[in-house]
Amino acid sequence: MFRHILPLTALAIPLVAIAILNPHIAYAQSLSKVAQNTGNVQSPQIPDFTRISLENLPQVPVTPQLRQQLSQILSPSALNNLTVGSLVSPDRYLTVGSFQSMGLEQMSLQAIADKSGVAIGNVSLGQLGDLASQLTISSLLRSLPDLSNQPLSQVKPILDLALQQTGVANLASLGSELTVGQLVNAFPEFGNSSLSSLGSQLNTYSLDAIPGFAQLPLANIEGASSVLLSNLNAAGLGKLSLSQFPNAPTLLPNVHFGIVDIALGTKEKNRVNPISGGMTASGFQAVACDDSYAECPHIEVTDFLGGYYTGKQWMTAAQKVPDGYGFLGGLFGNRGPAGNHPFGDAFRVTIESLDEASGTVTLGLRFRWCQRGWFVDLGCTPYITPPLPFLVLREKNTIPYVVPSNATANLSLSTTKNKNK
């Protein structure tokens, strides 16, 4: 299982009104939103990323399905407090790799602390959870080659671990002369020793106890992409607004603004002119909803500019489409909920429910898990995380979207279909 690999491993309706439409995402307050100035059209509502941080994202219920998904991704220790029926914040199930597209892995613990106003000297190794405890001496030396030349006396965690693991009682007296590299050369098996062996003692060491560690980009810390985001909250990650990330989510340059024209229910089939789909190794691809699906609930979008993009269909998350890539994608059958990516691939905007009678649609945001190491890219899962409540729209409200790269292939098909409607 994957966990054994990890150590290599417009106008908005208040969300509380949608419980009947979709109880699965009506359990929490919606995300902060702001009107987007588009110049010549009604202003759509988009997330206000300057006010959205990990610590104020809505909580989600832990369902058996979610826990089963997480068991394929997270380590057993990360699953311990995720009890079915409890409410948890997304940082308890999303990993550093989930924010890969936002550039989190380019940041160091020092950079996170500086942006959030945390004094890095007051953060202990133990507060970092798996980010620190999973490290071995060998992986530390690969990340910090200069550490090899440091005297043991200057790297107290490694000295204490060596005293515990090697059984050599006089190491402490040799600490001022013996370097970390010399110790590993003398005891090669010590390179496989993990900081987790220090247990609660890790709480007694500040990050400065391992010179250079706090300044390492997370991408240079082995296994960091599989670590829960909550493990970095001691360094202030939870306090950062999403706008403070290196690749802050924002509407893409090629985004379109359309009007929710028709909310169509389950009787409609053969929707062959889509702007919704999935993200594979080939990028964002539109996926039609044909007779292989019994139902094709969707909205049709009228582009403000008219012409080609008018009449495009956006299917609900009930449609499962090719999604994800690499090893992680395969864990979940490379299938995920249909949606669109007006903010890029950091998350997907999905239609979580659609009420034809009232012409109302409920939008959610979904994330994924990715993992990329020094020598291997395990890819990304489909966007199968629980939806975070975003926005409720009615017909004639504005909605942003991007046109998938393969959408032009559907034009000739949709022309015939639309003439026959």
Side-chain angles (χ1 to χ4, degrees):
M1 299 303 290
F2 178 54
R3 61 174 178 264
H4 301 304
I5 297 176
L6 287 179
L8 173 195
T9 32
L11 295 175
I13 306 169
L15 195 69
V16 293
I18 68 168
I20 297 176
L21 295 178
N22 192 341
H24 298 294
I25 65 170
Y27 47 76
Q29 185 178 4
S30 62
L31 299 172
S32 296
K33 293 172 287 291
V34 65
Q36 173 72 24
N37 185 5
T38 58
N40 58 354
V41 297
Q42 64 168 297
S43 300
Q45 297 283 319
I46 64 169
D48 184 358
F49 297 116
T50 67
R51 299 175 59 192
I52 298 172
S53 63
L54 283 172
E55 67 181 11
N56 63 27
L57 284 176
Q59 293 185 321
V60 303
V62 178
T63 63
Q65 179 189 20
L66 176 60
R67 189 172 169 83
Q68 191 280 328
Q69 290 173 343
L70 295 175
S71 69
Q72 301 183 67
I73 297 171
L74 305 181
S75 65
S77 62
L79 285 171
N80 283 343
N81 297 319
L82 300 179
T83 307
V84 172
S86 64
L87 289 173
V88 298
S89 56
D91 64 353
R92 297 273 301 285
Y93 59 84
L94 294 178
T95 62
V96 171
S98 298
F99 277 24
Q100 183 182 101
S101 295
M102 283 190 269
L104 175 56
E105 291 169 318
Q106 302 169 27
M107 304 181 74
S108 66
L109 294 170
Q110 183 72 64
I112 292 170
D114 289 345
K115 284 180 176 288
S116 61
V118 169
I120 198 70
N122 295 333
V123 181
S124 73
L125 287 172
Q127 288 177 290
L128 299 179
D130 289 344
L131 182 67
S133 65
Q134 70 175 346
L135 294 172
T136 64
I137 303 306
S138 293
S139 66
L140 271 172
L141 291 174
R142 284 191 291 270
S143 298
L144 293 165
D146 290 345
L147 193 61
S148 179
N149 300 321
Q150 288 280 350
L152 272 177
S153 59
Q154 300 300 309
V155 196
K156 191 68 160 53
I158 296 182
L159 173 59
D160 290 346
L161 184 62
L163 289 169
Q164 177 196 103
Q165 298 288 309
T166 66
V168 179
N170 66 338
L171 276 178
S173 62
L174 295 174
S176 60
E177 301 175 5
L178 191 66
T179 67
V180 175
Q182 289 171 336
L183 176 67
V184 174
N185 288 335
F187 300 94
E189 68 278 5
F190 179 62
N192 297 321
S193 298
S194 168
L195 293 184
S196 63
S197 296
L198 290 168
S200 61
Q201 196 172 345
L202 278 174
N203 292 315
T204 67
Y205 310 113
S206 72
L207 298 193
D208 296 336
I210 302 179
F213 181 69
Q215 289 72 43
L216 274 177
L218 294 174
N220 290 4
I221 301 176
E222 290 190 23
S225 62
S226 66
V227 169
L228 290 177
L229 293 171
S230 58
N231 286 339
L232 279 68
N233 284 345
L237 183 65
K239 299 178 182 299
L240 294 186
S241 69
L242 299 191
S243 64
Q244 291 180 282
F245 284 76
N247 304 325
T250 186
L251 286 172
L252 295 179
N254 61 339
V255 74
H256 288 256
F257 296 97
I259 298 174
V260 178
D261 191 29
I262 307 172
L264 295 170
T266 59
K267 295 180 181 180
E268 298 290 333
K269 299 182 181 181
N270 293 314
R271 300 293 84 188
V272 294
N273 194 20
I275 55 168
S276 57
M279 184 80 70
T280 66
S282 300
F284 179 38
Q285 301 282 299
V287 180
C289 190
D290 55 30
D291 285 336
S292 63
Y293 286 85
E295 301 175 348
C296 293
H298 64 281
I299 64 172
E300 288 196 358
V301 178
T302 298
D303 196 279
F304 284 112
L305 299 180
Y308 169 70
Y309 296 120
T310 290
K312 289 287 184 181
Q313 296 115 19
W314 182 333
M315 262 57 81
T316 71
Q319 183 197 14
K320 299 301 180 279
V321 299
D323 204 24
Y325 64 92
F327 176 80
L328 292 185
L331 283 178
F332 302 97
N334 291 107
R335 308 292 288 184
N340 196 273
H341 289 269
F343 304 96
D345 59 4
F347 48 78
R348 175 171 296 167
V349 179
T350 51
I351 297 176
E352 294 299 325
S353 67
L354 183 155
D355 183 66
E356 188 174 3
S358 64
T360 304
V361 294
T362 305
L363 303 182
L365 302 182
R366 291 177 181 252
F367 291 83
R368 61 181 177 175
W369 295 275
C370 300
Q371 186 174 352
R372 180 170 54 207
W374 283 6
F375 306 110
V376 62
D377 185 351
L378 295 180
C380 295
T381 69
Y383 288 83
I384 56 172
T385 65
L388 299 182
F390 167 34
L391 190 66
V392 178
L393 299 176
R394 292 190 184 276
E395 291 185 85
K396 309 309 177 185
N397 283 167
T398 308
I399 191 169
Y401 67 94
V402 293
V403 179
S405 59
N406 65 332
T408 55
N410 300 312
L411 181 57
S412 61
L413 294 174
S414 67
T415 300
T416 301
K417 184 73 179 178
N418 289 337
K419 285 181 179 179
N420 292 332
K421 285 178 64 177

